[in-house]
Amino acid sequence: MVGIAYELERDTQPIEYFQVKRPPKVNPLGLETPIAEAAGSDRSQPCEQLLWWLSAAGSGSWETFQAVCGHLDLVQPRRLWRRLQLLGHLLAAQDGQHWQMQPPSLQPVSKNCYVLYGQRNASLQESLQQFGRLVKIPQPRRDAPPCWQLELQADAADAIAELRTKYPALAIRPVEAPPPWADWVATLKVVDWVPLHRYRLKRYDGSSFVDVPDAEETGFYELHEEGSQRQHALFYDREQNTWYSSEWYGLRFLALTCLRPGELVVNYHPNSQELTIPSSQRWPLAYERYLVMQSGCLPDYNPDTGELIYRNITPTVWQLIGERLPHLSARE
């Protein structure tokens, strides 16, 4: 399946052609070391340019994504890769080697108010502005494309029906709810063979990775290749004697459910409809995306408490999350 084709001649902002250089091999499921950034650094515009380029391309490889990020001077592409998935714009293959853009879609956030996710271009933007008020909301850290929020002034059904005469793929598509926990665990990819003699091992102890001589316990491991800077992050199930791969935060959360069952903290504030979790306990992609898509904005970060803050979380969403993630220690 490929992305939705656009009539590019209708776009008012042509995309500059540039030759894509093949970047060095990097594992998109890994995690980059945080780097110091200038205070107030705003990367909203290059992130928006990236999203428009991806929209026109429709689909591609991780190497191409990485190369385009480099051309736009966007550092740490793996983090941006995950943010675009959290915002619903992009779908990635399980092995992280290929991506595909979502078709232009509307996520309801309140009465007659929608968040646009998926592909974007200039003519779509112009059409949306003809049917309502299009508000561009910067992401909290200005490290991803702004949220496009559409406030329809006319009857929503009529307006969307007329919009679809120009963009047949455009539709109201509420974000898919995350699976029950056992179903998510069942989606982990089995790694058939891990030559442990080639690696130095570190196991996550709940706060950091510590050196261990061997994989003797169930847990989240970093595998550092001897004589190389390459490393891998895998989860080992001792009972099954099986290694699994997935995205980094998902594997860390899985490890925490083994290390601290019943101690994963979440605070829900029904009056403000805010949900907060410690950043050190960030949820797997499918569950965090469900929170992010309720507002179309990435979580804010409170440096004083070390918490991530998700907004517009209704009691219905909160109840569903509690059913799908049984390990949470909930507070209201």
Side-chain angles (χ1 to χ4, degrees):
M1 181 176 179
V2 299
I4 302 301
Y6 280 123
E7 296 178 359
L8 294 180
E9 65 273 8
R10 297 174 56 197
D11 288 348
T12 58
Q13 297 184 16
I15 300 172
E16 177 188 0
Y17 170 80
F18 59 90
Q19 184 177 3
V20 174
K21 297 180 180 179
R22 184 176 295 275
K25 280 206 165 191
V26 176
N27 177 14
L29 298 179
L31 187 69
E32 287 148 321
T33 303
I35 61 172
E37 297 177 6
S41 175
D42 190 340
R43 288 154 290 164
S44 299
Q45 183 176 355
C47 286
E48 180 79 350
Q49 290 175 324
L50 172 66
L51 183 56
W52 284 44
W53 190 96
L54 299 173
S55 297
S59 62
S61 66
W62 156 249
E63 286 77 12
T64 302
F65 180 93
Q66 187 183 358
V68 176
C69 287
H71 180 81
L72 295 171
D73 295 325
L74 290 168
V75 297
Q76 296 191 316
R78 283 182 293 198
R79 293 181 182 272
L80 186 52
W81 171 269
R82 190 176 194 272
R83 292 183 200 121
L84 292 178
Q85 292 180 74
L86 288 174
L87 292 167
H89 299 310
L90 178 148
L91 294 176
Q94 188 179 28
D95 63 1
Q97 296 303 316
H98 296 88
W99 56 268
Q100 177 181 306
M101 285 295 295
Q102 291 268 50
S105 308
L106 295 170
Q107 157 76 6
V109 292
S110 62
K111 184 178 180 180
N112 280 9
C113 186
Y114 301 84
V115 165
L116 179 80
Y117 66 95
Q119 293 169 305
R120 295 180 181 177
N121 73 3
S123 55
L124 176 59
Q125 175 179 271
E126 182 180 350
S127 296
L128 293 174
Q129 290 171 330
Q130 293 175 359
F131 291 92
R133 180 168 174 257
L134 184 63
V135 182
K136 298 182 180 180
I137 305 172
Q139 299 296 337
R141 293 176 60 83
R142 271 69 171 177
D143 54 3
C147 167
W148 282 18
Q149 191 174 92
L150 177 64
E151 300 172 2
L152 293 175
Q153 298 168 350
D155 179 77
D158 292 342
I160 291 172
E162 191 166 349
L163 274 169
R164 292 194 66 185
T165 62
K166 295 184 178 181
Y167 289 91
L170 180 68
I172 298 177
R173 295 187 181 89
V175 64
E176 182 180 356
W181 178 248
D183 292 351
W184 179 84
V185 173
T187 67
L188 298 178
K189 182 180 178 181
V190 174
V191 180
D192 293 326
W193 181 64
V194 179
L196 293 178
H197 65 279
R198 292 173 46 187
Y199 300 102
R200 178 170 56 88
L201 301 182
K202 289 187 174 186
R203 186 178 68 242
Y204 185 66
D205 65 1
S207 59
S208 62
F209 286 89
V210 296
D211 288 305
V212 291
D214 205 346
E216 298 179 347
E217 299 180 24
T218 292
F220 184 25
Y221 289 83
E222 281 185 347
L223 288 73
H224 297 259
E225 190 168 343
E226 297 291 350
S228 170
Q229 294 185 343
R230 295 180 61 187
Q231 65 183 58
H232 308 275
L234 300 173
F235 185 87
Y236 177 63
D237 185 328
R238 182 183 179 184
E239 183 176 345
Q240 302 293 329
N241 191 27
T242 304
W243 290 89
Y244 297 95
S245 70
S246 184
E247 57 115 9
W248 195 92
Y249 287 112
L251 295 182
R252 183 180 69 172
F253 189 86
L254 177 58
L256 288 171
T257 66
C258 300
L259 293 167
R260 303 175 183 173
E263 297 182 17
L264 298 174
V265 178
V266 57
N267 294 283
Y268 180 61
H269 309 278
N271 292 334
S272 60
Q273 295 194 347
E274 291 181 350
L275 184 148
T276 63
I277 62 173
S279 62
S280 60
Q281 298 178 7
R282 195 165 203 153
W283 294 356
L285 178 66
Y287 300 89
E288 186 177 8
R289 177 170 52 216
Y290 189 62
L291 297 181
V292 168
M293 291 299 294
Q294 303 309 312
S295 66
C297 291
L298 296 167
D300 210 343
Y301 176 69
N302 185 333
D304 296 326
T305 63
E307 291 180 321
L308 299 170
I309 306 168
Y310 302 86
R311 308 189 190 279
N312 200 38
I313 308 301
T314 65
T316 301
V317 170
W318 165 238
Q319 180 180 357
L320 185 144
I321 286 294
E323 295 170 353
R324 301 296 170 92
L325 282 179
H327 305 283
L328 299 177
S329 175
R331 302 173 185 171
E332 294 190 22

